[in-house]
């Protein structure tokens, strides 16, 4: 994910990704602020938390994991390097399934659909997911802060890329509410932007990337 957090918003735990039993979020409750991944387990929750991201700064992040119960097997890369971890807690009792839940970006996943809570206040430029664990070299390359080629995720294990979107089909300053954002992985995992009941804040931002392959 390529993002920038502007403010705390309506929660101290704003979601970047959320899918039922697991969440990736910017953690304002920690000192310093950190990136936090949590996955519900039947007995003890899986947690891996680290890094020290700042507000109003753009970051490229990869979370790589073999989906084992050992939290130390998850690695978080920010801007080309693996972070220093502040919390590592193993899953006990097995991971709770998430197959029935929708993937929510910038908001909380609460059962089927997305919940208007724990909203992300910032800019999200692109997101990608694979169904295999990336290598350390791939994670470092994808998060390189000097990368100028926008479609990098499509060049890394493309056969295993299951979701990729750039959210770049609207002019800067226009409302993105109701837009359908295409999944460029070819798997049809498209999504629809939703401002929610308040109908504020879902605004397109012009991109600064310079080249496309």
């Amino acid at each position: 994910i390529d993002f920038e957090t502007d403010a705390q918003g309506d929660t101290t735990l704003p979601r970047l990704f959320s899918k039922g039993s697991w969440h990736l979020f910017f953690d304002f409750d920690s000192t310093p602020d950190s990136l936090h991944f949590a996955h519900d387990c039947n007995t003890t929750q899986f947690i891996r938390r680290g890094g020290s991201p700042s507000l109003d700064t753009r970051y490229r992040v990869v979370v790589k994991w073999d989906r084992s119960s050992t939290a130390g097997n998850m690695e978080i890369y920010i801007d080309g390097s693996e972070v220093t971890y502040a919390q590592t807690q193993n899953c006990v009792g097995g991971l709770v399934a998430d197959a029935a839940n929708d993937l929510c970006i910038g908001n909380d996943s609460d059962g089927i659909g997305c919940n208007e809570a724990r909203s992300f206040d910032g800019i999200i430029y692109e997101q990608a997911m694979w169904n295999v664990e990336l290598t350390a070299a791939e994670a470092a390359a994808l998060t390189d802060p000097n990368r100028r080629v926008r479609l990098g995720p499509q060049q890394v294990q493309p056969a295993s890329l299951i979701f990729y979107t750039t959210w770049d089909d609207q002019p800067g300053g226009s409302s993105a509410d109701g837009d359908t954002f295409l999944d460029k992985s070819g798997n049809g995992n498209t999504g629809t932007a939703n401002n929610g009941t308040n109908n504020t804040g879902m605004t397109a931002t012009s991109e600064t990337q310079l080249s496309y392959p």
Side-chain angles (χ1 to χ4, degrees):
I1 186 169
D2 185 346
F3 74 98
E4 174 183 322
T5 304
D6 293 338
Q8 180 174 308
D10 64 4
T11 177
T12 58
L13 305 173
R15 299 324 198 204
L16 291 166
F17 286 118
S18 182
K19 194 176 190 296
S21 59
W22 64 264
H23 318 277
L24 176 66
F25 52 94
F26 196 103
D27 190 341
F28 286 99
D29 285 342
S30 62
T31 303
D33 297 338
S34 62
L35 279 181
H36 190 138
F37 181 91
H39 198 304
D40 292 341
C41 298
N42 290 303
T43 303
T44 302
Q45 189 180 52
F46 178 109
I47 295 174
R48 188 70 150 159
R49 178 173 61 84
S52 53
S54 303
L55 294 178
D56 301 316
T57 303
R58 184 171 178 172
Y59 293 104
R60 293 182 173 94
V61 173
V62 164
V63 177
K64 59 185 293 290
W65 180 32
D66 61 4
R67 288 194 60 81
S68 71
S69 295
T70 302
N73 289 347
M74 170 176 282
E75 299 169 11
I76 301 173
Y77 284 75
I78 300 179
D79 286 354
S81 301
E82 187 175 2
V83 304
T84 298
Y85 299 100
Q87 185 177 9
T88 300
Q89 178 174 288
N90 292 337
C91 169
V92 177
L95 298 168
V96 174
D98 64 3
N101 301 103
D102 288 334
L103 173 66
C104 301
I105 301 173
N107 230 323
D108 199 34
S109 173
D110 183 15
I112 304 300
C114 301
N115 188 16
E116 291 178 46
R118 298 180 173 174
S119 303
F120 175 76
D121 187 346
I123 303 170
I124 297 177
Y125 298 93
E126 67 177 351
Q127 316 89 44
M129 288 187 175
W130 290 258
N131 60 9
V132 296
E133 182 183 12
L134 300 183
T135 67
E138 289 166 341
L142 281 167
T143 58
D144 181 352
N146 297 313
R147 175 169 62 92
R148 305 303 293 170
V149 179
R150 178 59 183 253
L151 298 183
Q154 290 180 314
Q155 299 168 345
V156 176
Q157 300 206 38
S160 300
L161 183 67
I162 59 173
F163 169 70
Y164 175 56
T165 184
T166 53
W167 287 12
D168 61 356
D169 66 342
Q170 292 291 334
S174 64
S175 173
D177 186 40
D179 283 356
T180 297
F181 292 98
L182 297 178
D183 171 21
K184 298 179 181 180
S185 74
N187 290 298
N189 292 316
T190 59
T192 303
N194 187 344
N195 267 350
T197 56
N198 294 325
N199 199 36
T200 58
M202 186 71 72
T203 305
T205 299
S206 297
E207 181 54 88
T208 58
Q209 303 293 89
L210 298 180
S211 61
Y212 292 75

